[in-house]
Amino acid sequence: MTQSDFKNQVDNLMDILFGAGVASHATIIEQINYLVFLRSLSRKDDNAMILDPSAEKIFSGELRKYHWDNLLILNSDELFTNLEEVFRKLPEVSNDPTIKLLFRDAHVKVFDKPTLRRLVHEIEKMFSDLEKQSTSGHTDIFGDMYEYLLSKLSQAGTLGSFRTPRHIIKFIVDVIDPKKGETILDPACGTAGFLVAALKHLEEKYTSEEYKKLDKYPMDLLTPQERDFVYKYTFTGFDSDFDMFKFGLMNLYLHKLEHPNIKRQNTLVDTAGDRTKWDVILANPPFAGALDIDSVSEDLRMGTRSTELLFLRYMMDHLSPSGRAGVIVPEGVVFNSTNAHKKIRQMLVEDAGLWCVVSLPGGIFNPYAGVKTSILFFDKSLKNKVKDILFVKVENDGFDLGATKRPIDKNDLPTALMAINIYKKAIEKGKMADFDLLLDSNAVATNIENIKKLGYDLTADDHVTLVKAINKVLQSEIKENDYNLSTDRYKTIKRNDEIKWNMVELEEILDYEQPTKYIVKSVDYQDYYPTPVLTAGKTFILGYTNEKDGIYNKKIPVIIFDDFTSATKLVNFPFKVKSSAMKILQTKDDRADITFVYYMIQSIKFTTDQHKRLWLSEFSKYKIPLPPLEVQKQIVGELDGYQKIIDGAKQIIENWKPTFKINPTWKKIKLGDLCELKSGGTPSRNKKEYWNGDIAWYSSGELNDLYTTSSKEFITKNGLEKSNASIFPKESLLIGMYDTAAFKMSLLDREATFNQAICGVKPNNQVNLHFLYLYFMQNRDLYLSQRIGVRQKNLSKGFIENLEVPIPPMGTQKEIVEKTQMEREVINSLKKLIGLYQGKINQKIEEVWGD
């Protein structure tokens, strides 16, 4: 039976139940699995009778009539009655504690009796066909069934409870290589796929070739006591979901583990005080979800609610001193920058003996979830031996990455396993040269021959693939990078000159939405209104409206694009817009990270005419480089880190205002009585002889910092006379009077004059004008509130002359100036920091573009 046939038959079973009115997926899974398990118990009895007629049977005595074959011959009414009876009696009569537990509170929930009879016969047909094809590979019956049924569940993936592909489980188990006498734990066991795979590994490892030829695996190379240990004490599993717990028990029971140590418990909540250690831990813990911090076991608390991090902490704490683990984690674990993520990675590297990170393809969990994952291998016995960490990138796992998971020819897992095994042996033996043979791409033939001596066959093509896929990184380098465990991070650093990412048109990765439903009809901007409004333009302006309906909040963040100016803005909050020209851009699928795309768009040099609708005609055709999603996220993490430094520095700069305490004993003097003040003038623009002279001439728009810089314009002596202006000396204070430039100020760094929108204050020996500048800056908002005018709100020279100024002793003025100058130096350093980190952003973007 092909996989397609198997799925069709499972679909048929579900359709039968849906048609009978059983709408709950959970009920469907439960009922099908109870019946399949009942059939399997009957076949177990049949097989036992063949091997040993005197063996104790499950369906004997009063239970005999409930043997599956006897149920098949009953009519609908009798079948319903007998199934209800066997579900009730099995936990009462059976001596098997597992069967007692599994059928506790079990009931028939398919109340349409003809449908129930049809379901029983369809199950018999499906599994009879499977048994006839011993090479079909469907030995993990419950796992395969649950895997497919789970794809039908509306919550699959969002709960993080999707099943691990069998070939990935086998890969992890082969790397870990469990041995006799070791204890094995899966702390989130689900259908027990990892534990079943570990059992099969032990059966293969400890069965002689003679039995293997007969397709039997009795583990005859073990003593009776060692075999007894395997079946009774080796395997432990925990799961908090009752259905998963039951299905895991059923699965293990059918694989001869009739009394496994499977517990229904929440590993992260119910294990406080438990000090049990295991030799091997294998797991794919839940990716999604967050616990209430107060619910987390006190042993595990580390300031995070993230289940994947808490599971890792549990596993590290519960490995024996020589224990080892293979764990699947979502991509966020390997590079997220939260303190908890950094801490868990530090613990893995420094305390748990992390020695290998395997990056898996992004679609490995399709059709349940597109989450990108990695496998972490750590071994406490190697803690003091590991100097480097091996990074392996698996591009292909033998299946396509679509929802159907069709087999393909490309499979990197075998060569990855070979590299990992050579690396681990090199660590254990202290002979890293054996592994370094793999990394030399200049001596392929010699390397292949040497690798064959180590027991592995390798083609030249395999060697090329392997060299590209593996990387060995010093622990010290990883530490310097916040313990980042992204496989591509160190390849990017070391081999950036070799990388040229594929270029894609924006329309390949972006969809756009017209903002019709989110446009503000009329708006009176007020900061205290609740709803942000984006106003288009070369720079987007944020206002606020009281209109609450029609807010965009479907998918955030998004890129807002203005047709007319080609300006873009990354928006990560619900919003409304002011113009229909502002398109809302979203990613089409998980190939692209929206923040990465935004960073790349910023470096595009648009050449467009005014009012040209770029999205429809040009914008969608622009190309950007598109690395793999994991690399995009790593790049975004790096750029976001730089941007946060820039934003933090800008916030400090914008909020800084020089302040000092005013002593009430200081004498107050009107500025006009203290200093000479004069407004400037502007020579006629029609007289060329007035302009382009050698006298610096400032407008109020140039008053943007403590000291002026070279003026934009210069006038002649004739122009100075005709404008009725004066030359003011260096260190004079210039104060803007009109509109938006009101009370903007600068001290002259040279002799100069200025226009009529500026009031100049000449220095004297009674007041330090730098001190005066600081005092006015401290009170600027008060002065601005007293502006007058309708179209323009201005201040006059007379207003400035009448300002009362506190005048401390000159020594005190100097101390205040010096103190604020120190603060200003910090601000200037922050401005340089912004430039430095903006340069880092630009450099990184250039690296991505390959410029």
Side-chain angles (χ1 to χ4, degrees):
M1 180 185 295
T2 65
Q3 188 179 45
S4 176
D5 292 336
F6 175 77
K7 289 183 177 182
N8 288 337
Q9 293 208 29
V10 173
D11 284 340
N12 183 46
L13 297 180
M14 294 185 69
D15 289 342
I16 290 171
L17 292 179
F18 277 129
V22 184
S24 166
H25 286 90
T27 300
I28 290 173
I29 294 173
E30 177 193 68
Q31 295 293 290
I32 291 175
N33 278 289
Y34 273 141
L35 293 173
V36 171
F37 189 58
L38 194 63
R39 181 189 185 277
S40 300
L41 291 177
S42 299
R43 295 294 172 253
K44 184 174 182 291
D45 268 6
D46 298 342
N47 293 333
M49 284 291 294
I50 295 173
L51 296 174
D52 182 4
S54 62
E56 182 180 354
K57 298 190 294 293
I58 298 168
F59 295 100
S60 61
E62 63 177 300
L63 296 179
R64 181 177 179 81
K65 68 174 183 176
Y66 305 119
H67 186 284
W68 181 260
D69 290 343
N70 294 328
L71 296 175
L72 287 172
I73 62 176
L74 300 177
N75 64 36
S76 299
D77 290 333
E78 292 172 331
L79 178 62
F80 183 91
T81 301
N82 277 263
L83 283 175
E84 267 292 309
E85 289 176 356
V86 71
F87 283 5
R88 186 185 74 252
K89 287 186 176 181
L90 271 174
E92 294 175 356
V93 178
S94 175
N95 295 321
D96 190 309
T98 302
I99 293 176
K100 285 179 177 290
L101 180 61
L102 288 174
F103 282 95
R104 187 181 67 191
D105 299 326
H107 296 282
V108 178
K109 297 178 183 177
V110 183
F111 300 109
D112 185 86
K113 295 173 183 178
T115 297
L116 178 63
R117 186 174 188 276
R118 182 184 173 194
L119 178 66
V120 167
H121 282 267
E122 290 292 340
I123 287 174
E124 172 59 26
K125 180 179 183 302
M126 181 174 74
F127 283 97
S128 293
D129 290 344
L130 286 174
E131 289 168 350
K132 290 175 184 177
Q133 301 181 39
S134 59
T135 60
S136 66
H138 287 88
T139 56
D140 188 359
I141 294 172
F142 281 88
D144 284 340
M145 179 173 291
Y146 189 76
E147 178 180 5
Y148 186 61
L149 289 175
L150 190 60
S151 68
K152 304 293 184 179
L153 292 174
S154 60
Q155 291 182 314
T158 61
L159 294 178
S161 58
F162 36 84
R163 182 172 177 255
T164 314
R166 299 297 94 181
H167 62 293
I168 300 299
I169 287 180
K170 185 178 186 306
F171 174 80
I172 294 172
V173 171
D174 286 346
V175 171
I176 294 296
D177 187 24
K179 298 176 177 61
K180 65 180 181 179
E182 292 185 325
T183 54
I184 302 173
L185 169 71
D186 183 345
C189 63
T191 59
F194 272 104
L195 300 182
V196 169
L199 172 62
K200 291 179 179 178
H201 184 88
L202 291 171
E203 289 175 340
E204 175 80 23
K205 189 179 187 73
Y206 295 110
T207 294
S208 62
E209 293 301 321
E210 290 76 11
Y211 276 106
K212 290 179 184 178
K213 291 176 183 177
L214 300 174
D215 199 24
K216 295 180 179 180
Y217 298 87
M219 294 189 286
D220 59 305
L221 299 179
L222 298 180
T223 66
Q225 293 79 11
E226 289 170 336
R227 282 196 298 275
D228 190 57
F229 186 91
V230 168
Y231 288 115
K232 291 183 178 179
Y233 306 108
T234 294
F235 300 99
T236 301
F238 305 143
D239 207 286
S240 59
D241 184 276
F242 186 57
D243 287 330
M244 299 283 258
F245 165 71
K246 287 192 297 184
F247 300 153
L249 267 180
M250 292 178 185
N251 197 5
L252 292 170
Y253 191 97
L254 295 174
H255 287 87
K256 302 178 184 177
L257 293 173
E258 298 182 5
H259 307 291
N261 184 26
I262 304 296
K263 296 180 181 179
R264 184 192 177 192
Q265 70 176 26
N266 188 321
T267 303
L268 305 181
V269 175
D270 304 327
T271 57
D274 181 13
R275 298 292 182 265
T276 309
K277 307 284 186 179
W278 283 269
D279 301 308
V280 169
I281 295 181
L282 305 163
N284 178 13
F287 293 175
L291 295 176
D292 187 301
I293 288 183
D294 292 335
S295 299
V296 177
S297 170
E298 291 183 4
D299 301 341
L300 304 177
R301 293 181 185 178
M302 50 184 299
T304 181
R305 301 166 60 233
S306 176
T307 56
E308 58 264 33
L309 300 186
L310 293 169
F311 267 107
L312 278 171
R313 173 66 186 270
Y314 177 89
M315 287 181 255
M316 285 188 279
D317 289 350
H318 288 267
L319 273 180
S320 68
S322 60
R324 58 201 185 281
V327 185
I328 297 176
V329 297
E331 61 177 346
V333 169
V334 301
F335 64 76
N336 272 359
S337 59
T338 71
N339 289 334
H341 282 86
K342 292 178 185 177
K343 180 63 177 176
I344 208 74
R345 294 196 297 266
Q346 180 181 359
M347 293 170 66
L348 284 164
V349 172
E350 296 184 355
D351 302 325
L354 181 74
W355 60 276
C356 181
V357 179
V358 178
S359 172
L360 295 174
I364 202 81
F365 285 104
N366 282 336
Y368 322 122
V371 62
K372 181 78 173 63
T373 56
S374 294
I375 306 169
L376 305 181
F377 291 106
F378 45 101
D379 186 335
K380 287 192 173 181
S381 69
L382 301 179
K383 174 183 173 181
N384 297 320
K385 296 181 179 180
V386 174
K387 304 300 181 185
D388 309 88
I389 292 177
L390 179 67
F391 288 85
V392 180
K393 186 166 187 177
V394 174
E395 298 279 6
N396 296 286
D397 68 331
F399 296 87
D400 68 22
L401 301 181
T404 57
K405 302 298 290 181
R406 292 173 296 187
I408 60 174
D409 293 334
K410 296 179 179 179
N411 186 0
D412 301 333
L413 291 175
T415 50
L417 179 62
M418 178 205 70
I420 291 169
N421 283 337
I422 294 176
Y423 184 73
K424 188 174 184 182
K425 288 179 181 177
I427 295 173
E428 291 169 345
K429 294 178 179 179
K431 295 182 178 180
M432 195 52 65
D434 287 348
F435 176 77
D436 290 340
L437 295 173
L438 288 172
L439 298 177
D440 187 356
S441 59
N442 297 317
V444 176
T446 303
N447 292 349
I448 291 174
E449 191 60 36
N450 288 331
I451 291 167
K452 285 183 178 179
K453 292 177 182 178
L454 297 174
Y456 298 96
D457 286 328
L458 191 68
T459 67
D461 288 341
D462 287 339
H463 187 272
V464 171
T465 301
L466 203 57
V467 168
K468 291 181 179 179
I470 62 178
N471 195 17
K472 186 179 67 171
V473 182
L474 285 169
Q475 280 187 352
S476 58
E477 184 175 348
I478 292 170
K479 182 178 180 179
E480 291 170 0
N481 285 274
D482 283 334
Y483 296 93
N484 190 303
L485 299 176
S486 173
T487 305
D488 284 294
R489 178 174 183 81
Y490 303 101
K491 287 225 169 199
T492 302
I493 292 172
K494 293 177 179 297
R495 306 179 187 180
N496 187 65
D497 57 328
E498 301 173 9
I499 296 175
K500 292 291 183 183
W501 306 119
N502 291 332
M503 301 293 290
V504 299
E505 291 183 350
L506 290 173
E507 67 180 357
E508 291 183 41
I509 55 175
L510 292 179
D511 279 327
Y512 79 95
E513 181 176 352
Q514 294 283 359
T516 309
K517 295 181 290 185
Y518 316 111
I519 296 176
V520 176
K521 297 178 182 178
S522 62
V523 60
D524 179 17
Y525 291 148
Q526 296 290 343
D527 287 343
Y528 56 81
Y529 283 163
T531 306
V533 180
L534 294 172
T535 301
K538 290 188 177 180
T539 57
F540 287 83
I541 300 172
L542 184 64
Y544 294 87
T545 179
N546 209 23
E547 296 185 19
K548 299 178 181 179
D549 296 331
I551 301 174
Y552 179 89
N553 59 5
K554 293 188 298 184
K555 184 179 181 181
I556 294 171
V558 294
I559 296 172
I560 303 297
F561 179 82
D562 178 15
D563 274 344
F564 298 136
T565 65
S566 76
T568 55
K569 183 177 182 66
L570 187 70
V571 182
N572 58 4
F573 49 80
F575 60 87
K576 296 174 80 76
V577 299
K578 197 73 169 65
S579 167
S580 61
M582 301 166 68
K583 302 298 188 293
I584 302 172
L585 311 186
Q586 308 165 348
T587 53
K588 287 184 176 180
D589 50 44
D590 62 2
R591 286 186 302 159
D593 178 273
I594 191 69
T595 308
F596 173 84
V597 175
Y598 174 74
Y599 276 122
M600 294 302 106
I601 288 175
Q602 300 317 295
S603 59
I604 295 176
K605 304 298 187 292
F606 294 108
T607 53
T608 57
D609 299 324
Q610 190 177 11
H611 301 305
K612 191 171 186 178
R613 294 188 175 274
L614 288 179
W615 179 264
L616 298 176
S617 62
E618 262 187 280
F619 181 74
S620 63
K621 298 299 182 183
Y622 279 90
K623 291 184 177 182
I624 65 168
L626 194 71
L629 186 62
E630 181 180 357
V631 180
Q632 293 177 49
K633 289 183 177 296
Q634 178 256 314
I635 292 169
V636 167
E638 183 176 345
L639 295 179
D640 279 350
Y642 298 152
Q643 190 61 50
K644 285 177 182 177
I645 293 172
I646 292 173
D647 293 341
K650 284 183 176 179
Q651 187 173 9
I652 294 172
I653 293 169
E654 290 169 3
N655 292 330
W656 178 76
K657 183 169 68 172
T659 58
F660 55 90
K661 291 183 178 180
I662 306 297
N663 191 320
T665 65
W666 293 346
K667 184 179 179 180
K668 288 190 175 182
I669 305 174
K670 285 185 179 181
L671 185 59
D673 296 335
L674 184 68
C675 300
E676 181 185 346
L677 283 74
K678 192 176 188 303
S679 58
T682 303
S684 172
R685 292 285 181 179
N686 297 324
K687 300 288 186 176
K688 292 183 179 180
E689 61 269 25
Y690 295 166
W691 295 93
N692 298 319
D694 55 5
I695 301 172
W697 180 89
Y698 289 94
S699 66
S700 59
E702 296 176 85
L703 307 182
N704 291 318
D705 210 339
L706 175 61
Y707 280 97
T708 58
T709 56
S710 180
S711 60
K712 295 179 181 178
E713 296 184 280
F714 292 80
I715 61 174
T716 64
K717 288 182 179 180
N718 196 14
L720 180 68
E721 293 174 359
K722 295 298 182 181
S723 64
N724 196 31
S726 302
I727 294 178
F728 269 52
K730 183 178 178 181
E731 296 294 333
S732 295
L733 177 62
L734 306 187
I735 304 173
M737 295 187 291
Y738 299 160
D739 201 26
T740 57
F743 253 95
K744 285 189 174 181
M745 297 176 290
S746 290
L747 292 164
L748 281 175
D749 70 336
R750 68 198 70 201
E751 282 189 342
T753 189
F754 38 85
N755 70 8
Q756 64 276 12
I758 294 174
C759 176
V761 183
K762 286 187 177 181
N764 59 40
N765 58 6
Q766 289 185 273
V767 63
N768 183 320
L769 292 192
H770 193 159
F771 166 80
L772 192 63
Y773 170 92
L774 297 175
Y775 176 75
F776 285 157
M777 286 291 292
Q778 188 166 307
N779 293 277
R780 183 171 184 266
D781 291 342
L782 173 63
Y783 302 149
L784 292 179
S785 68
Q786 299 177 53
R787 289 178 296 170
I788 59 174
V790 178
R791 296 181 62 185
Q792 278 190 349
K793 290 186 178 296
N794 303 325
L795 296 171
S796 66
K797 173 176 169 285
F799 174 85
I800 297 172
E801 284 178 326
N802 284 295
L803 291 175
E804 289 191 337
V805 181
I807 304 298
M810 287 297 288
T812 304
Q813 293 182 42
K814 183 179 179 182
E815 288 178 6
I816 292 171
V817 168
E818 289 176 350
K819 180 182 177 182
T820 44
Q821 186 59 31
M822 292 174 62
E823 294 179 8
R824 187 176 296 278
E825 288 174 1
V826 173
I827 296 298
N828 290 335
S829 296
L830 289 175
K831 291 178 179 178
K832 292 179 181 178
L833 188 71
I834 289 172
L836 173 65
Y837 277 89
Q838 186 60 56
K840 287 179 177 287
I841 289 176
N842 296 339
Q843 181 181 0
K844 188 64 183 181
I845 290 175
E846 288 176 3
E847 286 180 10
V848 178
W849 280 85
D851 294 341

